Amino acid sequence: MTRIGLIDYGMGNLHSVQRTFGRLGAELVSVHGPADLEACEALVLPGVGAFDPAMERLRSAGLEPALRRSCASGRPLLGICLGLQLLFEASEEGKTDGLGVLAGRVRSLPRLAGHPLPHMGWAPLIPATASPLLPAATPEAWVYFVHSFAAEPAEATASTALVDYGGTPVTAAVWQGTIAACQFHPEKSGPVGEAMLRRWIDWVGSL
């Protein structure tokens, strides 16, 4: 069985992620520091909260350089919600640098009348570049969002799915090399989200 590490830096929705992976037959092992991830074949980076405090916690745990090395080595990683945003170079939400393993920045969603922030609730994904997470023939997928910021990848092809926010498509999921990430919460998106996680687990197992 593939050994998948769940990065625990004190700002993730760990229990719901663990439960969902458990239902899919994948046991996650907790990663608290650099030594923990060495035995892992793949990683999950969850996140709930603000950009700067999350990066500060990753740094204090010694995980910032370790995650950069891990991604550079080709070890698969799946980011969820804030975990997606941390993969980019910087965010308008804060002042600190992100992990920078994906080129681009995280921008605030536009303030639009009738569209309160955070963007919260169910919305359909708009397919973009096909990936193992969202293959070309994937049926319409409604997933659950809670966010006020969205990534703008430097390479448009890194976006595997978008979501409409007030008439503007923004990044909902990315896939580049061995790095995948969802701005939405697949672990809270019912059978559709579980199907995405199953595809990711199967893809990791095929490497």
Side-chain angles (χ1 to χ4, degrees):
M1 181 181 295
T2 303
R3 186 177 176 89
I4 301 175
L6 179 63
I7 300 167
D8 181 358
Y9 59 104
M11 291 185 66
N13 47 322
L14 301 181
H15 296 302
S16 59
V17 173
Q18 285 176 319
R19 285 196 303 269
T20 302
F21 272 83
R23 286 197 297 271
L24 297 172
E27 182 179 352
L28 301 181
V29 296
S30 294
V31 171
H32 297 280
D36 297 331
L37 64 79
E38 293 307 321
C40 298
E41 297 164 76
L43 300 170
V44 176
L45 177 62
V48 174
F51 192 91
D52 281 5
M55 284 303 306
E56 289 165 9
R57 291 194 179 208
L58 289 175
R59 288 190 186 108
S60 65
L63 284 166
E64 179 184 19
L67 287 172
R68 287 187 176 130
R69 290 193 299 269
S70 177
C71 290
S73 75
R75 181 185 282 122
L77 182 144
L78 174 67
I80 297 175
C81 196
L82 180 61
L84 174 148
Q85 298 175 19
L86 298 174
L87 298 173
F88 286 85
E89 296 169 283
S91 173
E92 289 183 350
E93 185 180 17
K95 298 180 180 179
T96 191
D97 290 339
L99 291 170
V101 296
L102 293 176
R105 298 177 63 84
V106 177
R107 309 284 186 187
S108 175
L109 294 175
R111 295 188 177 275
L112 303 171
H115 296 275
L117 291 177
H119 172 219
M120 182 182 299
W122 294 81
L125 295 177
I126 303 169
T129 305
S131 70
L133 191 67
L134 288 163
T138 304
E140 184 177 57
W142 283 72
V143 292
Y144 186 75
F145 288 87
V146 183
H147 66 124
S148 298
F149 296 82
E152 289 186 359
E155 296 183 32
T157 55
S159 292
T160 188
L162 309 171
V163 64
D164 180 85
Y165 179 75
T168 299
V170 299
T171 298
V174 296
W175 189 292
Q176 190 169 64
T178 55
I179 299 174
C182 305
Q183 180 59 67
F184 54 90
H185 286 274
E187 80 284 3
K188 296 181 180 179
S189 297
V192 167
E194 289 191 2
M196 292 180 194
L197 293 177
R198 166 54 64 194
R199 287 194 288 270
W200 183 77
I201 293 168
D202 290 345
W203 173 79
V204 168
S206 73
L207 298 179

